[in-house]
């Protein structure tokens, strides 16, 4: 019996490669020192860190923190979540990107677009769904990064992205009108928000409206302080006032509300209310929950999240990589590493009750303008956010909702892509169609469906272009024979086959040319449908007592046609440089360059 087992083992080892060797071969590229340094960028820049960088990183981190704290509270409001969840989302992204991030300027955290997309699916179902969406989004992004599938975002063109971003900005600003005017309402959708405003016109609160509009005006004025003239000292003062404008607005509004409430015993503004103090709990994401007495299993929660499981990862990757490229200053960006960093940020964030996060253009710009030197600036931001959660939550109670609405609306002014629309119109006017289609569809149908509509229309444009090749005619007289040369300007796929046949026959019937030459110098390959249609084309041309010549077709295309109908095509391919020699020689000679075994 032992001998039989040994024989069986020998047979197996001869039939299959050794498992250990196979695993070693597959994993060899993943566990090298080079890969370790590539996937953990902190191992590259931290050993070379210089003490002189520390002050710049701390200043930049503080500047970003003064921006992210009011934004985090505001974006949590957009997602219909309590304010602390916006801050939970902010600090974990800073710590994770410190280790895995490859661009010093990028900051990961809550953004307006992600908050709006979260609200569309989990705004009415509870915070557990928002946390689970962060976990699933992180897993999807990490999977995309590990499998190098970042190319999927390339199917979202610039016009579609511009339309989506503009629609998101308009939708977010519209959703804040209820808080700006102090009227009741829940929905953040574009149409519903404005319908709600008109239905509650009599309920508009005067002082909330005054405070909200004043906040917007003040923010726009402070935005221009960076352009202040004068000596270097005044320019630096103006620069840092601009960078901290959101914090200035929120602090001023909170102080005003506190003075009026506790000193003057009046409360003219609607306030944010209680914010849960302390650090976020570290626990597993909720894989099941109970809502309104109904128990939801993991699969039911996933079903409830719906299409957001696809759109959230795509939008997050699109935003984050676009921001990294914008601040790379010509350096190559490792898209795979950025997706790995973003995926881990969302997964880790879900363990501290975070909603989905991605790169923030606003805070990344603040980081860059503040002179950040390394990713260590993110640690400063994370620490300040944690201190705010531990020490300042009582102060958050007095933040007026109108002030937060003003902060959000002022930020949205600069997200509407007016310059992109002008650029598209100037460059290629037909591209304005997918942009406007995306914009309108996002406003009327919602961001996710609007994005799908925009991508669909853009793909239709691409399909139309590849299905309608240009055929350039050129009529010659060579050795007393009328010759029609037709040059196809692009490759051929099945959707272009009938259109090509129609154009060739249309040109051929205009005059009685004895010889028709189909120039294939731009055709790399053909498929079965094209080959079948070309068979019919050769037969139709032959029925009219004319000759069709395939000139300068590459080997791949020739082989495909020969496999379809060898006897029909074998004498029709010619590769001579000059057309005159082909016409004078006639067409009895077989093409010597085509192998007989095709």
């Amino acid at each position: 019996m032992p001998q039989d087992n040994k024989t069986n083992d020998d047979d197996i080892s001869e039939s299959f490669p050794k498992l250990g060797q196979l695993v070693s071969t597959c994993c060899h590229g993943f566990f090298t020192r080079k890969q370790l340094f590539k996937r953990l960028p902190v191992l590259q820049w931290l050993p070379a860190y210089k003490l002189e960088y520390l002050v710049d990183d701390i200043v930049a981190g503080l500047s970003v923190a003064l921006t992210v704290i009011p934004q985090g509270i505001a974006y949590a409001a957009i997602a219909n979540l309590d304010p602390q969840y916006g801050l939970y989302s902010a600090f974990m992204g800073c710590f994770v990107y410190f280790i895995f991030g490859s661009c010093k300027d990028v900051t990961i955290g809550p953004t307006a677009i992600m908050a709006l997309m979260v609200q569309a699916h989990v705004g009415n179902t509870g915070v557990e769904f928002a946390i689970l969406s962060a976990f699933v989004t992180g897993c999807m992004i990490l999977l995309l990064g590990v499998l190098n599938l970042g190319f999927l975002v390339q199917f979202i063109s610039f016009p579609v992205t511009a339309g989506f971003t503009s629609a998101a900005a308009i939708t977010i600003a519209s959703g804040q009108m209820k808080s700006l005017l102090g009227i009741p309402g829940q929905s953040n959708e574009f149409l519903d928000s404005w319908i709600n405003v008109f239905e509650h016109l009599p309920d508009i609160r005067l002082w909330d409206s005054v405070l909200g509009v004043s906040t917007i005006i003040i923010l726009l004025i402070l935005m221009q302080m960076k352009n202040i003239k004068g000596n270097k000292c005044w320019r630096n003062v103006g620069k840092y006032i601009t960078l901290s404008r959101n914090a200035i607005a929120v602090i001023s509004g909170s102080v005003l509300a506190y003075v009026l409430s506790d000193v003057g015993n009046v409360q003219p503004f609607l306030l944010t209310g209680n914010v849960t103090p302390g650090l976020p709990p570290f626990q597993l994401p909720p894989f099941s929950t109970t809502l309104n007495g109904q128990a939801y299993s993991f699969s039911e929660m996933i079903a409830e999240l719906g299409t957001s499981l696809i759109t959230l990862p795509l939008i997050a990757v699109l935003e984050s990589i676009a921001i990294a490229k914008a601040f790379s200053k010509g350096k190559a960006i490792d898209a795979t590493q950025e997706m790995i960093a973003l995926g881990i940020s969302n997964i880790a964030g879900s363990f501290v009750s975070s909603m989905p996060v991605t790169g923030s253009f606003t805070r990344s710009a603040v980081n860059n303008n503040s002179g950040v030197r390394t990713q260590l600036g993110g640690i400063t931001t994370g620490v300040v956010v944690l201190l705010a959660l531990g020490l300042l939550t009582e102060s958050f109670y007095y933040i007026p909702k109108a002030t937060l609405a003003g902060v959000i609306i002022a930020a949205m002014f600069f997200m509407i892509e007016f310059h992109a629309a002008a650029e598209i119109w100037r460059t290629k006017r037909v591209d304005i169609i997918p942009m406007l289609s995306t914009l309108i569809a996002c406003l009327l149908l919602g961001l996710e469906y609007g994005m799908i509509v925009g991508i669909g229309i853009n793909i239709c444009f691409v399909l139309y272009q590849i299905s309608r090749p240009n055929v350039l005619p050129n009529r010659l007289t060579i050795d007393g024979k009328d010759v029609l040369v037709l040059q196809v300007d692009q490759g051929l796929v099945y959707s272009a086959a009938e259109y090509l046949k129609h154009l060739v026959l249309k040109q051929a019937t205009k005059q009685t040319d004895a010889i028709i030459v189909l120039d294939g110098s731009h055709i790399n390959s053909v498929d079965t449908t094209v080959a079948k249609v070309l068979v019919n084309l050769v037969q139709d041309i032959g029925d009219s007592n004319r000759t069709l010549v395939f000139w300068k077709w590459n080997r791949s295309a020739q082989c495909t046609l020969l496999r379809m109908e060898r006897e029909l095509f074998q004498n029709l391919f010619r590769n001579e440089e000059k057309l005159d020699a082909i016409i004078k020689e006639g067409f009895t000679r077989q093409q010597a360059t085509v192998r007989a075994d095709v």
Side-chain angles (χ1 to χ4, degrees):
M1 185 66 69
Q3 182 65 32
D4 292 339
N5 289 339
K6 182 178 180 181
T7 302
N8 291 337
D9 291 342
D10 291 341
D11 292 339
I12 292 173
S13 64
E14 291 175 1
S15 302
F16 299 96
K18 292 183 179 179
L19 182 60
Q21 293 179 352
L22 181 62
V23 172
S24 176
T25 302
C26 293
C27 298
H28 176 71
F30 294 94
F31 297 101
T32 62
R33 185 175 184 274
K34 180 179 179 181
Q35 277 293 322
L36 181 64
F37 276 71
K38 186 176 182 180
R39 296 307 170 212
L40 291 174
V42 67
L43 298 179
Q44 298 181 38
W45 61 263
L46 190 58
Y49 194 85
K50 297 179 181 179
L51 192 61
E52 61 194 65
Y53 296 166
L54 187 60
V55 174
D56 291 336
D57 285 339
I58 291 176
V59 170
L62 287 172
S63 301
V64 174
L66 292 175
T67 304
V68 73
I69 291 174
Q71 282 189 344
I73 296 171
Y75 295 156
I78 293 176
N80 281 352
L81 300 174
D82 292 335
Q84 66 268 18
Y85 291 104
L87 299 181
Y88 293 167
S89 304
F91 89 90
M92 183 56 77
C94 296
F95 287 110
V96 172
Y97 199 80
F98 165 78
I99 299 173
F100 295 96
S102 61
C103 181
K104 65 180 178 63
D105 300 292
V106 172
T107 63
I108 301 293
T111 66
I113 293 177
M114 295 294 281
L116 182 61
M117 297 183 71
V118 168
Q119 187 275 334
H121 287 275
V122 304
N124 299 318
T125 54
V127 67
E128 291 85 1
F129 288 85
I131 298 170
L132 182 62
S133 69
F135 177 79
V136 177
T137 295
C139 292
M140 293 288 289
I141 295 172
L142 184 60
L143 182 63
L144 290 175
V146 171
L147 298 179
N148 288 317
L149 295 179
F151 72 90
L152 292 174
V153 299
Q154 296 173 5
F155 287 95
I156 306 176
S157 68
F158 174 67
V160 172
T161 303
F164 173 83
T165 304
S166 300
I170 295 171
T171 302
I172 292 166
S174 300
Q176 293 304 305
M177 291 303 297
K178 59 181 181 294
S179 297
L180 187 79
L181 302 176
I183 58 179
Q186 292 295 324
S187 177
N188 284 327
E189 297 296 327
F190 173 73
L191 289 178
D192 292 341
S193 297
W194 286 105
I195 291 173
N196 181 70
V197 169
F198 287 109
E199 287 179 346
H200 290 87
L201 286 176
D203 302 324
I204 292 177
R205 294 168 60 95
L206 174 63
W207 294 113
D208 281 286
S209 303
V210 170
L211 179 62
V213 173
S214 300
T215 299
I216 295 173
I217 295 173
I218 291 171
L219 286 170
L220 294 178
I221 293 173
L222 293 180
M223 182 72 179
Q224 303 305 316
M225 292 294 290
K226 62 183 178 182
N227 300 321
I228 192 171
K229 303 296 182 181
N231 57 35
K232 183 178 180 180
C233 178
W234 283 109
R235 289 198 302 271
N236 286 335
V237 170
K239 171 186 172 181
Y240 286 107
I241 287 177
T242 297
L243 293 175
S244 57
R245 64 188 182 278
N246 290 332
I248 292 173
V250 171
I251 292 172
S252 300
S254 302
V255 170
L256 179 61
Y258 174 79
V259 170
L260 292 175
S261 298
D262 282 27
V263 179
N265 293 321
V266 293
Q267 192 170 345
F269 313 124
L270 297 176
L271 304 179
T272 298
N274 292 319
V275 177
T276 303
L279 303 181
F282 189 85
Q283 58 192 8
L284 286 173
F287 296 117
S288 62
T289 188
T290 301
L291 181 64
N292 298 327
Q294 180 181 353
Y296 286 83
S297 65
F298 177 73
S299 59
E300 290 172 334
M301 293 179 73
I302 292 295
E304 188 72 24
L305 293 175
T307 57
S308 67
L309 300 180
I310 299 174
T311 54
L312 275 172
L314 286 178
I315 298 305
V317 169
L318 184 67
E319 274 197 276
S320 192
I321 293 180
I323 292 168
K325 288 181 178 179
F327 291 99
S328 64
K329 296 181 179 178
K331 297 180 180 178
I333 288 294
D334 187 348
T336 296
Q337 182 60 32
E338 285 301 301
M339 286 190 288
I340 290 173
L342 183 59
I344 295 176
S345 295
N346 277 279
I347 294 172
S350 67
F351 284 81
V352 292
S353 304
S354 167
M355 65 183 193
V357 297
T358 186
S360 166
F361 191 88
T362 301
R363 295 192 295 275
S364 297
V366 170
N367 209 18
N368 178 268
N369 292 335
S370 301
V372 69
R373 305 297 290 269
T374 68
Q375 290 89 320
L376 187 65
I379 295 295
T380 305
T381 301
V383 169
V384 173
V385 172
L386 285 178
L387 290 175
L389 279 167
L391 304 175
L392 300 178
T393 49
E394 292 184 2
S395 303
F396 296 158
Y397 176 91
Y398 292 98
I399 299 176
K401 291 184 176 181
T403 298
L404 291 178
V407 168
I408 295 171
I409 293 173
M412 294 307 104
F413 287 158
F414 302 97
M415 283 182 60
I416 300 177
E417 302 275 7
F418 295 112
H419 64 284
E423 190 176 49
I424 292 169
W425 183 260
R426 183 176 66 251
T427 306
K428 191 173 183 180
R429 293 183 178 181
V430 71
D431 285 341
I432 205 72
I433 295 176
M435 178 183 175
L436 292 179
S437 300
T438 305
L439 174 65
I440 295 171
C442 285
L443 293 177
L444 299 182
L445 304 178
L447 293 181
E448 292 147 334
Y449 295 111
M451 174 68 79
I452 293 172
V453 168
I455 294 173
I457 291 176
N458 228 1
I459 290 176
C460 287
F461 275 47
V462 174
L463 292 176
Y464 181 82
Q465 290 175 357
I466 66 176
S467 300
R468 293 294 183 269
N470 289 323
V471 179
L472 307 176
N474 186 20
R475 283 185 164 81
L476 306 171
T477 300
I478 301 175
D479 199 22
K481 297 177 181 179
D482 293 328
V483 180
L484 172 62
V485 181
L486 299 173
Q487 185 182 60
V488 183
D489 69 344
Q490 65 183 46
L492 295 178
V493 295
Y494 66 93
S495 58
E498 290 293 340
Y499 182 75
L500 173 67
K501 178 184 175 182
H502 167 73
L503 288 182
V504 173
L505 292 176
K506 182 179 179 181
Q507 289 292 335
T509 55
K510 287 184 177 180
Q511 295 183 17
T512 57
D513 302 289
I515 302 169
I516 300 171
V517 178
L518 196 58
D519 185 347
S521 54
H522 297 297
I523 300 174
N524 295 322
S525 63
V526 296
D527 56 32
T528 303
T529 305
V530 175
K532 190 67 176 176
V533 171
L534 289 178
V535 168
N536 297 331
L537 179 61
V538 171
Q539 293 170 346
D540 290 344
I541 296 295
D543 290 341
S544 62
N545 296 320
R546 288 179 287 182
T547 304
L548 180 63
V549 182
F550 292 81
W551 184 37
K552 291 185 179 180
W553 286 55
N554 70 11
R555 184 173 187 78
S556 173
Q558 290 185 34
C559 291
T560 302
L561 296 177
L562 286 168
R563 285 193 293 267
M564 174 64 72
E565 287 283 351
R566 166 176 286 280
E567 294 182 358
L568 184 65
F569 286 105
Q570 63 182 356
N571 293 326
L572 300 181
F573 291 115
R574 306 304 290 265
N575 286 335
E576 286 85 343
E577 285 297 323
K578 293 185 178 181
L579 193 59
D580 297 21
I582 300 174
I583 303 302
K584 291 176 182 178
E585 289 178 12
F587 308 100
T588 59
R589 182 172 61 86
Q590 293 187 10
Q591 179 60 288
T593 58
V594 180
R595 293 186 308 178
D597 61 344
V598 174

